[in-house]
Amino acid sequence: MAQRVVVPEPERRRRRPTKQGVVLSEQLIVETAIRLVGQQGAAALSVRRLGLALGADPSAVYRYFRGTDDLLLALADEMVRRALDGWASSGQWRTDLRDLGMRMHAAYLSHPQVALLAAHRTTGRVHETRAVEAIIGVLRAAGFPDTDLARIHGSFADLGLAFAALDAAALALPPAAAEADRTAWRDTYPRLDAQTHPNIAATAHLLTRETSRSAFPFALDLFLDALVARLSLQQGPPTTSVPTG
Amino acid sequence: MAQRVVVPEPERRRRRPTKQGVVLSEQLIVETAIRLVGQQGAAALSVRRLGLALGADPSAVYRYFRGTDDLLLALADEMVRRALDGWASSGQWRTDLRDLGMRMHAAYLSHPQVALLAAHRTTGRVHETRAVEAIIGVLRAAGFPDTDLARIHGSFADLGLAFAALDAAALALPPAAAEADRTAWRDTYPRLDAQTHPNIAATAHLLTRETSRSAFPFALDLFLDALVARLSLQQGPPTTSVPTG
DNA sequence: CGAATATGTCAACACCATTGACACGAGAAG
DNA sequence: CTTCTCGTGTCAATGGTGTTGACATATTCG
């Protein structure tokens, strides 16, 4: 690190403007980084370009984040913040969980390049903690036993993040790669030898890459069905195997 | 590119040994890259280090791959090759699909760093095509209508790759990050204010990050259940909504 | 007002991917 | 066997990257 200490945002007192007159903040840096990645692709996220976009010396970023990885986690946490923004419990646990899942998915998909970079990371930051609190709260109110909370929460979060990353990957492809992807299905598959690839050859005219619809809502409902079934067993026998997907 | 033309592997005639006496090949480069990533982490995969590990000048890699992205796709395709290695249809479509899914998942998880880098990419290479052929073949033999093949195949592949990437992410974390992850659940959650995070505070002693078991087998079975249900509807009414997750 | 120091800046380091020019030797042609 | 071709490995150079230590200065506190 250029400097060992990164002052946490709430304790910052002195705000000294940049040579170009910009007053930096964690929030401003995060927002600028998200904009940068959205406009120019994930490859454009470098400390130097970020400095340029901010109107500050690149190394100033290190006064706010310990390194690029720290910044990345902050971007992920901002996605979570936006997902939770305005959410409130409806009182129906299944509705709540579905809503939380869809919000998380949507927040990441609105910035696919960020999702691709950060969706698989545990941020350990405030908004992630808020999300955990919300999910645990819904599960407890629904009547799930405390001993199952960690596992159910883990499965739920995994499902959402896995699909967020997956669907983001399709959206975030640079135009050239997306074109190459489509070309593979449209051009090369129909030309494959019927000897070596009989099934593709026989149905090539019907095979087009299906990218329009996300499988997430369907998968989420399957998961929630499993939770409902588990909860209704709750009163009867003690603990059987826990649904984890 | 250093040189516009990359000669495809099967057409290579001249194999000229390196100064250090190594005879290069696409396969050798891919295997060395996988080993490098497995031993030193994803960050160690640079053309320079790869050259060093190979015993060749770094720029020699560009005689075999157009760039780092091309190499990455080759790594992904190698994972698919290993997954398919030795697979044969059992004649039972559900068994076949489950087996293919589990193999793909296992192949990626055996090299989590590679999975993290490449699982979300469409490679367009030979082994991926073989996998598509196998899956389409199983679905056709099962009796799914040709018009549904693209969508069902897409959902199946998505599910497997999404969980491969997710589970790989947990395995691929550098030890420091993994420790930080565990610390968050063990140390900071129990200290949260009961006012702001009542649900976490009340159950903190039971909350530990659940990383031991993958949710994939469960999710895969849910998906296959949905396919079974869809197939049994096949004979009756025409087409309803298609399960996509 | 004066001092302390947080924060922005600068220059430097080691690394990275990629490229064009070049040399050499393997394989084809005779 | 000899000769020629050109595929392939090497070298040097370019412009990028994250990160750091030293430094300057203006903001806040006493």
Side-chain angles (χ1 to χ4, degrees), chain B residues 2 7 13-14 28 37 62 98 112 114 127 136 147 149 153 171 189 242:
Chain B
V7 178
R13 294 273 119 97
R14 306 191 185 175
L28 177 65
V37 169
Y62 291 88
R98 193 171 200 285
V114 174
H127 301 299
I136 298 282
T147 48
L149 296 179
H153 166 270
L171 288 179
Y189 280 11
V242 175

Short mmCIF file of all heavy atoms in Angstrom, two decimals, chain B residues 2 7 13-14 28 37 62 98 112 114 127 136 147 149 153 171 189 242:
data_model
loop_
_atom_site.label_atom_id
_atom_site.label_comp_id
_atom_site.label_asym_id
_atom_site.label_seq_id
_atom_site.Cartn_x
_atom_site.Cartn_y
_atom_site.Cartn_z
N ALA B 2 1.39 -10.76 -32.53
CA ALA B 2 2.78 -10.80 -32.99
C ALA B 2 2.81 -11.33 -34.42
O ALA B 2 3.55 -10.85 -35.26
CB ALA B 2 3.62 -11.70 -32.09
N VAL B 7 -1.48 -21.41 -36.56
CA VAL B 7 -1.71 -22.66 -37.28
C VAL B 7 -2.52 -23.60 -36.38
O VAL B 7 -2.14 -23.84 -35.25
CB VAL B 7 -0.38 -23.32 -37.66
CG1 VAL B 7 -0.62 -24.66 -38.35
CG2 VAL B 7 0.43 -22.40 -38.54
N ARG B 13 3.17 -29.14 -38.78
CA ARG B 13 4.16 -30.07 -39.31
C ARG B 13 5.48 -29.94 -38.56
O ARG B 13 6.01 -30.88 -38.01
CB ARG B 13 4.42 -29.76 -40.80
CG ARG B 13 3.27 -29.99 -41.72
CD ARG B 13 3.23 -31.44 -42.20
NE ARG B 13 1.99 -32.09 -41.80
CZ ARG B 13 0.92 -32.22 -42.58
NH1 ARG B 13 0.92 -31.79 -43.81
NH2 ARG B 13 -0.16 -32.83 -42.13
N ARG B 14 5.99 -28.75 -38.59
CA ARG B 14 7.31 -28.53 -38.02
C ARG B 14 7.23 -28.36 -36.52
O ARG B 14 6.56 -27.47 -36.03
CB ARG B 14 7.93 -27.27 -38.62
CG ARG B 14 7.95 -27.30 -40.12
CD ARG B 14 8.79 -26.19 -40.64
NE ARG B 14 8.72 -26.16 -42.09
CZ ARG B 14 9.28 -25.24 -42.85
NH1 ARG B 14 9.96 -24.26 -42.27
NH2 ARG B 14 9.17 -25.27 -44.14
N LEU B 28 0.34 -29.26 -24.52
CA LEU B 28 1.33 -29.02 -23.47
C LEU B 28 1.12 -27.65 -22.83
O LEU B 28 1.21 -27.50 -21.60
CB LEU B 28 2.75 -29.11 -24.05
CG LEU B 28 3.86 -28.79 -23.04
CD1 LEU B 28 3.90 -29.84 -21.93
CD2 LEU B 28 5.22 -28.70 -23.73
N VAL B 37 -1.95 -22.45 -12.75
CA VAL B 37 -3.06 -21.83 -12.05
C VAL B 37 -3.39 -22.60 -10.78
O VAL B 37 -3.66 -22.01 -9.73
CB VAL B 37 -4.29 -21.74 -12.97
CG1 VAL B 37 -5.53 -21.34 -12.20
CG2 VAL B 37 -4.04 -20.74 -14.08
N TYR B 62 2.06 -17.19 -28.47
CA TYR B 62 1.22 -16.56 -29.49
C TYR B 62 1.26 -17.30 -30.82
O TYR B 62 0.55 -16.95 -31.75
CB TYR B 62 1.63 -15.09 -29.68
CG TYR B 62 1.27 -14.25 -28.48
CD1 TYR B 62 2.14 -14.12 -27.41
CD2 TYR B 62 0.04 -13.61 -28.41
CE1 TYR B 62 1.81 -13.37 -26.31
CE2 TYR B 62 -0.30 -12.84 -27.31
CZ TYR B 62 0.59 -12.73 -26.26
OH TYR B 62 0.25 -11.99 -25.17
N ARG B 98 -28.16 -36.57 -15.36
CA ARG B 98 -27.60 -36.34 -14.04
C ARG B 98 -26.09 -36.60 -14.05
O ARG B 98 -25.30 -35.83 -13.51
CB ARG B 98 -28.29 -37.25 -13.02
CG ARG B 98 -27.99 -36.85 -11.59
CD ARG B 98 -28.85 -37.61 -10.58
NE ARG B 98 -28.89 -36.91 -9.31
CZ ARG B 98 -27.89 -36.87 -8.44
NH1 ARG B 98 -26.78 -37.46 -8.72
NH2 ARG B 98 -28.00 -36.19 -7.30
N PRO B 112 -10.57 -25.28 -9.52
CA PRO B 112 -11.49 -24.16 -9.25
C PRO B 112 -11.03 -22.83 -9.83
O PRO B 112 -11.85 -22.04 -10.27
CB PRO B 112 -11.54 -24.11 -7.72
CG PRO B 112 -10.56 -25.08 -7.20
CD PRO B 112 -10.10 -25.94 -8.32
N VAL B 114 -9.46 -22.33 -12.58
CA VAL B 114 -9.81 -22.32 -14.00
C VAL B 114 -11.31 -22.10 -14.15
O VAL B 114 -11.77 -21.33 -15.00
CB VAL B 114 -9.38 -23.64 -14.68
CG1 VAL B 114 -9.88 -23.69 -16.12
CG2 VAL B 114 -7.88 -23.80 -14.61
N HIS B 127 -14.57 -29.84 -27.84
CA HIS B 127 -15.16 -30.64 -26.78
C HIS B 127 -16.50 -30.07 -26.32
O HIS B 127 -17.39 -30.82 -25.94
CB HIS B 127 -14.17 -30.78 -25.63
CG HIS B 127 -12.89 -31.42 -26.05
ND1 HIS B 127 -12.85 -32.70 -26.56
CD2 HIS B 127 -11.63 -30.96 -26.11
CE1 HIS B 127 -11.61 -33.01 -26.90
NE2 HIS B 127 -10.83 -31.97 -26.64
N ILE B 136 -27.97 -33.11 -26.48
CA ILE B 136 -29.07 -33.12 -27.45
C ILE B 136 -29.49 -34.55 -27.76
O ILE B 136 -30.68 -34.88 -27.86
CB ILE B 136 -28.65 -32.40 -28.76
CG1 ILE B 136 -28.32 -30.93 -28.48
CG2 ILE B 136 -29.74 -32.50 -29.81
CD1 ILE B 136 -29.48 -30.02 -28.31
N THR B 147 -38.32 -28.95 -31.10
CA THR B 147 -38.44 -27.51 -30.93
C THR B 147 -38.07 -27.06 -29.52
O THR B 147 -37.84 -25.87 -29.29
CB THR B 147 -39.89 -27.04 -31.21
OG1 THR B 147 -40.77 -27.92 -30.50
CG2 THR B 147 -40.19 -27.13 -32.69
N LEU B 149 -35.49 -28.43 -27.80
CA LEU B 149 -34.13 -28.85 -27.48
C LEU B 149 -33.22 -27.68 -27.09
O LEU B 149 -32.49 -27.76 -26.10
CB LEU B 149 -33.51 -29.60 -28.66
CG LEU B 149 -34.21 -30.92 -29.01
CD1 LEU B 149 -33.53 -31.56 -30.21
CD2 LEU B 149 -34.20 -31.85 -27.83
N HIS B 153 -31.65 -27.58 -23.42
CA HIS B 153 -30.19 -27.68 -23.35
C HIS B 153 -29.59 -26.44 -22.68
O HIS B 153 -28.72 -26.54 -21.82
CB HIS B 153 -29.57 -27.84 -24.74
CG HIS B 153 -28.10 -27.61 -24.76
ND1 HIS B 153 -27.55 -26.37 -24.98
CD2 HIS B 153 -27.06 -28.44 -24.50
CE1 HIS B 153 -26.24 -26.45 -24.88
NE2 HIS B 153 -25.91 -27.70 -24.60
N LEU B 171 -13.90 -22.51 -3.34
CA LEU B 171 -12.68 -23.30 -3.24
C LEU B 171 -11.44 -22.51 -3.67
O LEU B 171 -10.33 -22.78 -3.21
CB LEU B 171 -12.78 -24.55 -4.14
CG LEU B 171 -13.71 -25.65 -3.67
CD1 LEU B 171 -13.73 -26.79 -4.68
CD2 LEU B 171 -13.28 -26.16 -2.31
N TYR B 189 -20.28 -10.92 13.33
CA TYR B 189 -21.72 -11.08 13.50
C TYR B 189 -22.13 -11.14 14.96
O TYR B 189 -23.10 -10.50 15.37
CB TYR B 189 -22.22 -12.29 12.72
CG TYR B 189 -22.42 -12.00 11.25
CD1 TYR B 189 -21.93 -10.82 10.69
CD2 TYR B 189 -23.09 -12.87 10.43
CE1 TYR B 189 -22.10 -10.54 9.35
CE2 TYR B 189 -23.26 -12.61 9.07
CZ TYR B 189 -22.76 -11.44 8.55
OH TYR B 189 -22.94 -11.17 7.23
N VAL B 242 -42.54 -23.63 -20.83
CA VAL B 242 -41.39 -24.54 -20.82
C VAL B 242 -40.54 -24.32 -19.57
O VAL B 242 -40.18 -23.20 -19.27
CB VAL B 242 -40.52 -24.31 -22.07
CG1 VAL B 242 -39.28 -25.17 -22.01
CG2 VAL B 242 -41.31 -24.61 -23.32
#
